[in-house]
Amino acid sequence: MNKKNYFIAGGVALIVLVAGYFLLSGSKQYQSTQTPVGPTEEIVASPTVVMPSEVVPTESTSGAKVTKNTTIDYTDSGFAPKSITVKVGTAVVWTNKTNSPMWVASAPHPSHTDLAGFDQLKSVNNGGTYSYTFTKVGNWKYHNHMAPSD
């Protein structure tokens, strides 16, 4: 092989290494800088898919506990748990366990504009549920449209 071929092979190898670096560095976790206003609850999503049966024993960079639990109950005391961290692609199910209507929606009230599509669009009574699959990374606040202080 002559010097020209070594030079070309070295250049190709350098390009592959640089491209690999940028691809791998793009997999870091990013937080949204949006700050919703008003009394709300929080979902923190991160960029990796974890199946519900997997255990995630760590904490997120925001300090919120990461959980495999994808169920949130609406009780007479409000939403429980108050905050969870889920992975992108995780479906969270809210269950109404009160005698009052529940309508889960993105903050802020009443516009529900922080996360487009994160809006139940109607209320459900005791035993009713709402499911939303998080596909975007960020801190997503929400509330009960029927009782905005929850």
Side-chain angles (χ1 to χ4, degrees):
M1 196 183 264
N2 62 31
K3 285 184 180 183
K4 183 178 178 182
N5 289 342
Y6 283 116
F7 182 72
I8 291 172
V12 169
L14 181 61
I15 290 170
V16 169
L17 288 172
V18 169
Y21 170 78
F22 284 110
L23 286 173
L24 292 175
S25 67
S27 67
K28 293 179 181 173
Q29 182 173 351
Y30 296 95
Q31 292 275 119
S32 170
T33 57
Q34 294 178 324
T35 306
V37 178
T40 55
E41 304 298 328
E42 174 179 59
I43 292 291
V44 181
S46 60
T48 309
V49 174
V50 173
M51 301 316 254
S53 62
E54 291 184 60
V55 176
V56 184
T58 61
E59 291 198 0
S60 72
T61 57
S62 67
K65 184 174 175 135
V66 178
T67 179
K68 68 175 186 167
N69 184 1
T70 57
T71 301
I72 297 175
D73 292 331
Y74 181 59
T75 69
D76 290 330
S77 301
F79 292 102
K82 296 279 185 201
S83 176
I84 64 171
T85 299
V86 298
K87 301 290 183 180
V88 166
T90 299
V92 176
V93 178
W94 287 261
T95 302
N96 186 354
K97 295 194 173 185
T98 71
N99 290 323
S100 302
M102 176 189 80
W103 172 341
V104 177
S106 174
H109 179 75
S111 62
H112 311 156
T113 55
D114 280 356
L115 182 57
F118 180 23
D119 189 339
Q120 191 170 353
L121 300 176
K122 65 179 182 175
S123 64
V124 294
N125 292 320
N126 187 292
T129 62
Y130 170 63
S131 177
Y132 182 81
T133 301
F134 288 86
T135 59
K136 193 172 180 184
V137 174
N139 288 334
W140 307 113
K141 306 274 185 185
Y142 66 94
H143 63 281
N144 179 0
H145 180 72
M146 304 305 288
S149 63
D150 289 342

